[in-house]
């Protein structure tokens, strides 16, 4: 039965995906909002087909420019978040060369960053700043890697600071919204620490076997928790800002894993945005990249 389910899921995704690839490829070369909205349709179909049920708590910010800073658990995160709203992602350069997934990342209009070469941060920040200024909501997995889903790893500050500086030539402000992902149930039962590797993809796990296991099993529940957006000024210290975002994402993810968030589908609307205390002498993009 599990093999039959896997075959059915893969066949359905293939039938849906093949006609949409040339449409999205053409949309990327034309003006209009189709290139933003079409991936949302695909991700929603994929979630339903695979058996991923998303519970959204809180709401994404309407303000722009908007950078969304999230924890990273699995390759599933892309489909889960992509099903919520038009988004693009900041991805490591290796993803661009992956079979199938690399093509999807390009069609999603991802910004690729070489994390091994700090000298490339300035170029990535410029591209990221251009996309943010154009109104695209961008997602940055600030841990720099995925993890077991039982924790949130320390956030890296370089790209957060670089993205902020890339927008300094506009109105000098941007919005950053913390977001927590937590995979909570498998086949309707609380997942628990020992079962989270079913969906968590990290370490030296191979992609294809992990992907096929998720497809065969299905029936995954995930919570997407939106934190309060932060109005960011050009003079804010990037490391202070990064610590604030890391602490908030860790708190949100920990609460939902422990079953503490409200039982309803959404939290009340977010309170007015918080400000982060400024610290003098914040370095420019390249120096921020060097300090990592």
């Amino acid at each position: 039965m599990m093999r039959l389910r896997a075959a059915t899921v893969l066949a359905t995704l293939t039938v849906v995906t093949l006609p949409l690839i040339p449409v999205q490829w053409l949309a990327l070369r034309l003006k209009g909002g189709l290139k933003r909205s079409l991936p949302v349709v695909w991700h929603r179909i994929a979630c339903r087909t695979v058996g991923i049920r998303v519970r959204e708590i809180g709401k994404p910010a309407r303000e722009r420019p908007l950078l969304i800073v999230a924890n990273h658990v699995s390759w599933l995160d892309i489909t889960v978040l992509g099903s919520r709203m038009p988004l693009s992602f900041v991805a490591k350069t290796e993803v661009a060369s992956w079979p199938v997934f690399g093509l999807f990342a390009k069609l999603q209009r991802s910004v690729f960053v070489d994390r091994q070469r700090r000298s490339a941060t300035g170029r990535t920040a410029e591209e990221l700043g251009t996309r943010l200024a154009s109104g695209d909501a961008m997602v940055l997995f600030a841990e720099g890697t995925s993890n077991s889903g039982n924790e949130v790893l320390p956030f890296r500050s370089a790209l957060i600071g670089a993205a902020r500086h890339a927008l300094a030539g506009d109105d000098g402000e941007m919005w950053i919204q913390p977001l927590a992902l937590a995979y909570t149930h498998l086949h309707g039962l609380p997942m628990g620490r020992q079962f989270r590797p079913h969906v968590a993809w990290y370490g030296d796990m191979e992609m294809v076997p992990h992907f096929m296991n998720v497809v065969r099993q299905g029936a995954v529940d995930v919570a997407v928790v939106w934190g309060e957006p932060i109005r960011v000024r050009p003079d804010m210290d990037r490391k202070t800002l990064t610590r604030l975002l890391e602490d908030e994402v860790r708190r949100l993810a920990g609460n939902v894993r422990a079953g503490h968030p409200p039982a309803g589908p959404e939290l009340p609307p977010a309170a007015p945005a918080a400000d982060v205390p400024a610290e003098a002498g914040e370095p420019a993009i390249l120096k921020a990249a060097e300090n990592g």
Side-chain angles (χ1 to χ4, degrees):
M1 290 300 295
M2 291 177 64
R3 290 182 179 179
L4 178 60
R5 170 186 159 74
T8 302
V9 170
L10 291 175
T12 302
L13 289 176
T14 300
V15 169
V16 170
T17 303
L18 289 181
L20 292 182
I21 288 176
V23 177
Q24 178 67 359
W25 181 86
L26 181 62
L28 293 177
R29 287 150 180 78
L30 300 175
K31 294 182 178 179
L34 183 61
K35 60 179 175 287
R36 292 185 175 94
S37 60
L38 193 58
V40 179
V41 174
W42 186 90
H43 287 302
R44 288 180 179 176
I45 293 173
C47 280
R48 182 176 292 272
T49 302
V50 175
I52 304 168
R53 185 167 59 181
V54 183
R55 183 162 72 105
E56 195 167 12
I57 303 171
K59 294 181 179 180
R62 294 183 178 181
E63 295 85 358
R64 298 292 185 275
L66 176 65
L67 178 67
I68 298 165
V69 175
N71 62 314
H72 193 17
V73 181
S74 171
W75 53 268
L76 278 171
D77 299 347
I78 306 297
T79 293
V80 169
L81 295 181
S83 70
R84 300 298 88 198
M85 61 183 285
L87 294 169
S88 292
F89 297 85
V90 180
K92 57 186 181 181
T93 51
E94 302 94 290
V95 173
S97 62
W98 289 358
V100 182
F101 289 94
L103 173 62
F104 287 175
K106 294 173 184 176
L107 293 175
Q108 187 86 34
R109 304 167 63 234
S110 298
V111 172
F112 297 101
V113 56
D114 187 347
R115 298 186 185 274
Q116 304 303 317
R117 296 175 54 204
R118 292 182 177 179
S119 60
T121 303
R123 177 179 52 79
T124 301
E126 183 178 356
E127 182 180 358
L128 183 56
T130 300
R131 293 285 298 280
L132 289 167
S134 70
D136 286 331
M138 303 294 299
V139 177
L140 172 65
F141 295 117
E143 295 160 298
T145 185
S146 54
N147 64 74
S148 67
N150 295 312
E151 59 186 344
V152 173
L153 302 177
F155 282 8
R156 299 183 179 185
S157 64
L159 271 181
I160 294 175
R164 183 199 57 201
H165 279 290
L167 284 168
D170 298 316
D171 60 7
E173 291 188 347
M174 65 178 294
W175 296 82
I176 298 183
Q177 186 167 19
L179 182 146
L181 285 155
Y183 293 85
T184 59
H185 292 76
L186 179 63
H187 293 284
L189 299 175
M191 195 171 294
R193 177 178 292 270
Q194 68 272 33
F195 294 114
R196 288 202 178 97
H198 170 74
V199 293
W201 181 65
Y202 61 102
D204 58 357
M205 290 183 178
E206 295 184 11
M207 167 65 82
V208 173
H210 191 273
F211 171 82
M212 290 304 300
N213 186 50
V214 171
V215 168
R216 284 193 296 264
Q217 293 279 350
V220 172
D221 286 66
V222 56
V224 174
V225 190
W226 297 93
E228 182 180 341
I230 300 169
R231 182 189 293 111
V232 181
R233 301 186 305 270
D235 60 345
M236 289 179 180
D237 177 67
R238 67 182 173 89
K239 291 190 177 181
T240 301
L241 174 61
T242 300
R243 284 195 299 270
L244 175 66
L245 292 166
E246 178 187 324
D247 290 345
E248 181 63 2
V249 171
R250 183 174 286 114
R251 183 185 71 83
L252 294 173
N255 283 347
V256 77
R257 285 196 301 265
H260 294 327
E266 293 181 348
L267 289 172
D275 287 338
V276 182
E279 293 184 15
E282 172 66 10
I285 293 177
L286 293 179
K287 189 167 183 181
E290 292 171 359
N291 291 338

